[in-house]
């Protein structure tokens, strides 16, 4: 059996199990999704949003990319964000990074990774903003861990800089923004940065006409 065929077999078993637990399981989900959460996470296969939060299909709207970035020219992210905020009306947005993130690790080197350079260039900027704090940490692993936390913090700030979030804050006082880091060693999430709806940011980023 090819490895991918195992996925199809597992899918059949999963669907059967769900139906045996609750014959209406799929019927309930088919017509409507009303998740309270948007998850912006790393593509890393070890950090699956639903599993680590114990949530079911229908509960979290998910966007994942390398190193859980919020990049203002990324139409994919912006489309997900607009849909989540304006149509699904999520109450919370979670940016979840993880210790040991290869994307952040790569950004901290001088290696040329080809097209990925353009993506992780944004993480190099995070290092530049926080160089004074990060560069004095004596241990390389601790430096990387702190960069992973600071990257999450900067991506939460990037969300707050968008007109989509500012408009929602002004009109409806939602959503709250949360920055979390997942630890691969013990499976636990550490909250590291919070921006409740309506938080003021550096005024240069605040739009006056929303
Ligand atoms: Co990662």
């Amino acid at each position: 059996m090819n490895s991918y065929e195992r996925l199809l077999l597992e899918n059949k078993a999963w669907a059967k199990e769900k139906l045996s637990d609750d014959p209406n399981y799929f019927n309930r989900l088919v017509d409507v999704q009303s998740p309270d959460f948007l998850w912006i996470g790393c593509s890393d296969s070890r950090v699956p949003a639903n599993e680590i939060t114990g949530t079911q299909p229908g509960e979290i709207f998910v966007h994942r990319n390398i190193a859980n970035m919020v990049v203002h020219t990324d139409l994919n992210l912006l489309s997900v964000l607009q849909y989540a905020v304006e149509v699904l009306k999520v109450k919370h947005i979670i940016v979840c990074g993880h210790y040991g993130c290869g994307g952040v690790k790569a950004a901290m080197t001088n290696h040329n990774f080809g097209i990925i350079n353009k993506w992780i260039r944004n993480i190099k900027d995070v290092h530049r903003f926080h160089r004074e704090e990060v560069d004095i940490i004596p241990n390389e692993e601790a430096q990387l861990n702190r960069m992973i936390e600071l990257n999450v913090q900067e991506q939460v700030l990037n969300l707050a800089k968008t007109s989509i979030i500012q408009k929602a804050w002004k009109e409806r006082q939602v959503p709250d923004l949360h920055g979390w880091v997942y630890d691969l060693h013990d499976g636990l999430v550490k909250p590291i940065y919070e921006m409740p709806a309506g938080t003021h940011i550096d005024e240069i980023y605040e739009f006056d006409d929303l």
Side-chain angles (χ1 to χ4, degrees):
M1 182 168 63
N2 282 317
S3 58
Y4 75 91
E5 288 175 313
R6 183 171 60 83
L7 305 189
L8 295 170
L9 276 178
E10 288 290 346
N11 166 254
K12 282 200 181 75
W14 173 79
K16 200 174 162 188
E17 191 190 323
K18 287 288 173 196
L19 281 178
S20 73
D21 289 349
D22 173 5
N24 275 320
Y25 184 79
F26 294 108
N27 288 343
R28 273 191 291 106
L29 284 169
V30 105
D31 292 327
V32 60
Q33 66 159 343
S34 58
D36 284 339
F37 310 99
L38 165 62
W39 175 277
I40 299 171
C42 184
S43 297
D44 193 303
S45 62
R46 299 165 296 178
V47 196
N50 283 117
E51 278 88 339
I52 68 173
T53 57
T55 47
Q56 296 297 318
E59 292 191 85
I60 306 192
F61 199 59
V62 174
H63 178 82
R64 290 167 69 179
N65 60 41
I66 291 176
N68 39 272
M69 302 299 288
V70 175
V71 175
H72 287 183
T73 50
D74 179 3
L75 272 180
N76 188 349
L77 178 277
L78 291 174
S79 304
V80 167
L81 179 64
Q82 186 180 356
Y83 189 76
V85 171
E86 296 181 4
V87 180
L88 298 174
K89 296 188 164 39
V90 295
K91 298 182 177 75
H92 302 275
I93 301 181
I94 296 149
V95 176
C96 188
H98 65 101
Y99 295 118
C101 184
V104 178
K105 202 184 269 182
M108 295 292 280
T109 72
N110 295 101
H111 296 308
N112 179 355
F113 293 96
I115 201 130
I116 302 172
N117 294 340
K118 301 181 197 319
W119 190 251
I120 62 179
R121 210 293 313 279
N122 298 290
I123 310 171
K124 290 180 188 283
D125 291 343
V126 173
H127 178 245
R128 183 165 55 84
F129 298 154
H130 299 279
R131 187 187 284 279
E132 282 178 16
E133 179 190 340
V134 173
D135 285 1
I136 56 166
I137 299 172
N139 170 316
E140 207 172 296
E141 195 189 342
Q143 233 179 43
L144 178 65
N145 286 347
R146 186 60 187 141
M147 261 300 293
I148 283 157
E149 294 173 354
L150 291 166
N151 183 50
V152 162
Q153 177 181 317
E154 288 298 330
Q155 303 322 309
V156 170
L157 282 165
N158 282 344
L159 283 173
K161 293 173 197 168
T162 64
S163 55
I164 298 167
I165 291 298
Q166 289 184 28
K167 190 165 182 274
W169 281 0
K170 191 177 172 188
E171 289 173 355
R172 298 183 284 117
Q173 284 295 303
V174 284
D176 297 324
L177 310 182
H178 309 269
W180 294 356
V181 179
Y182 174 78
D183 194 331
L184 297 168
H185 294 99
D186 58 14
L188 294 175
V189 165
K190 180 175 160 190
I192 55 134
Y193 194 69
E194 299 286 318
M195 281 189 95
T199 302
H200 282 284
I201 55 173
D202 190 316
E203 67 181 22
I204 196 74
Y205 297 111
E206 289 190 348
F207 298 109
D208 54 12
D209 182 22
L210 288 159

